Amino acid sequence: MGRSPCCEKAHTNKGAWTKEEDDRLIAYIRSHGEGCWRSLPKAAGLLRCGKSCRLRWINYLRPDLKRGNFTEEEDELIIKLHSLLGNKWSLIAGRLPGRTDNEIKNYWNTHIRRKLLNRGIDPTTHRPMNETNCAQEITTISFGSGAAAVNMKEEQQEEEDHKLMMIKSSYVFQENDEKMVMERCPDLNLDLKISPPHPHQTDALKTGGRNRGLCFACSLGLQNSKDCSCNSNNGTSSSNNGTSGYDFLGLKAGGVLDYRSLEMK
DNA sequence: AAAGCAGACAACCGCAAACTC
DNA sequence: GGAGTTTGCGGTTGTCTGCTT
């Protein structure tokens, strides 16, 4: 059985939002709060699908949004966070109060990409363009013909280990690795501190959303990793009392890792 | 003045995670 | 445990605006 459509497409508006639609959405959320996007359009008298309402609210109507141009500091922070997190726009947005993932994604594609290219830096790898080319050549050469003979299980294990190794080398939790990343991002403070769940986590808990106080490994897509200590109850318990522990890449701590604790020095 | 083009950004779409029953 | 539902994310597209020719 296929997935049910998110909305009744025949009876929904598409395209740009009108002032009246905006007003209706704002008024509804002011009196009822966020949540249950599926039923919101009908309840608010909007001919839009829930997804569209959510996007409009999050990206444009939310009162805490910071409109206007990005500052030079924000530019540099986005570049640094992108070099660490890749295209995890929602995580990057979480570090820039008042900015949305969509806004940052657009800004990246229209401004920062070009800026990095002008500097001779590959916006994907954050390495000098010529260095990137070398790396690609090496990669091409390194795959030999003997791979077929390798046991599949070993291959999978190696792949997992390699993935983990790459994450470790990028995300800095051991002394040597830290030195390396600090060379890449000298003014980014990667000290991890424990703090109560940030508003996104709290909202997610209320609405049963995806980002329940996950450990860092889970947020990086390593749910099956042996370094992941996050289980289905973790988010709930940690958000309720802030005392559950996590253990990622040798770093043990109580509470939930808060991406907002990555701060500029 | 108008056509063509490029940049900027709002909005849409498909997918997958997380949840409910 | 599995099917169906809801929500959020990231990639992509559509449209508006300003500039150039």
Side-chain angles (χ1 to χ4, degrees):
Chain A
M1 195 182 286
R3 133 203 308 264
S4 62
C6 77
C7 54
E8 193 69 43
K9 293 200 177 191
H11 301 103
T12 54
N13 291 341
K14 286 178 76 173
W17 280 65
T18 64
K19 177 85 174 61
E20 194 189 341
E21 286 178 311
D22 282 349
D23 290 343
R24 273 180 188 268
L25 182 57
I26 291 167
Y28 183 86
I29 292 177
R30 270 190 190 147
S31 55
H32 297 88
E34 287 181 55
C36 200
W37 295 108
R38 173 102 174 168
S39 59
L40 185 148
K42 201 176 177 185
L46 288 162
L47 294 174
R48 294 273 178 177
C49 76
K51 251 181 162 179
S52 181
C53 294
R54 178 185 156 270
L55 217 60
R56 182 66 180 171
W57 174 255
I58 288 174
N59 289 329
Y60 203 81
L61 300 175
R62 245 170 50 198
D64 58 327
L65 289 181
K66 188 198 284 183
R67 310 300 303 180
N69 296 338
F70 282 75
T71 64
E72 195 60 36
E73 288 74 27
E74 284 176 315
D75 272 20
E76 293 306 317
L77 182 56
I78 291 169
I79 292 168
K80 280 161 190 161
L81 289 168
H82 186 273
S83 73
L84 294 169
L85 301 168
N87 293 358
K88 300 284 178 192
W89 305 116
S90 60
L91 290 180
I92 294 172
R95 297 295 311 143
L96 286 125
R99 302 294 189 185
T100 69
D101 53 356
N102 204 37
E103 191 180 12
I104 292 170
K105 181 173 60 182
N106 283 331
Y107 187 65
W108 175 271
N109 288 327
T110 55
H111 293 90
I112 300 183
R113 271 181 70 87
R114 204 177 311 138
K115 189 171 169 178
L116 290 178
L117 288 170
N118 287 340
R119 289 182 190 173
I121 295 169
D122 185 323
T124 309
T125 62
H126 293 266
R127 291 172 179 279
M129 301 286 253
N130 50 1
E131 202 178 307
T132 305
N133 292 341
C134 288
Q136 279 170 352
E137 280 169 28
I138 290 165
T139 305
T140 310
I141 293 163
S142 66
F143 286 104
S145 57
V150 180
N151 180 296
M152 284 295 283
K153 270 195 172 177
E154 282 178 17
E155 265 186 19
Q156 282 174 353
Q157 185 58 48
E158 273 178 26
E159 201 179 313
E160 280 291 314
D161 289 347
H162 178 71
K163 190 176 174 184
L164 201 53
M165 191 190 75
M166 295 302 285
I167 296 287
K168 281 184 178 178
S169 66
S170 299
Y171 289 89
V172 201
F173 290 93
Q174 293 180 0
E175 208 175 316
N176 291 338
D177 297 336
E178 186 171 66
K179 211 181 276 178
M180 188 194 82
V181 174
M182 288 309 289
E183 279 170 15
R184 281 169 63 182
C185 310
D187 54 348
L188 186 65
N189 178 7
L190 286 165
D191 286 348
L192 298 170
K193 72 184 179 196
I194 305 309
S195 58
H198 60 61
H200 287 171
Q201 288 173 326
T202 315
D203 287 344
L205 284 164
K206 271 190 242 163
T207 58
R210 273 204 296 174
N211 290 337
R212 295 173 159 242
L214 297 177
C215 76
F216 199 25
C218 280
S219 297
L220 293 171
L222 292 170
Q223 286 92 334
N224 298 323
S225 162
K226 60 195 171 198
D227 288 302
C228 168
S229 65
C230 180
N231 57 42
S232 57
N233 295 325
N234 193 354
T236 308
S237 61
S238 57
S239 294
N240 287 341
N241 57 26
T243 55
S244 77
Y246 69 85
D247 175 5
F248 178 58
L249 303 179
L251 179 77
K252 288 178 190 290
V256 176
L257 175 63
D258 181 358
Y259 290 102
R260 294 182 186 211
S261 62
L262 299 172
E263 286 171 347
M264 295 291 285
K265 276 182 183 171

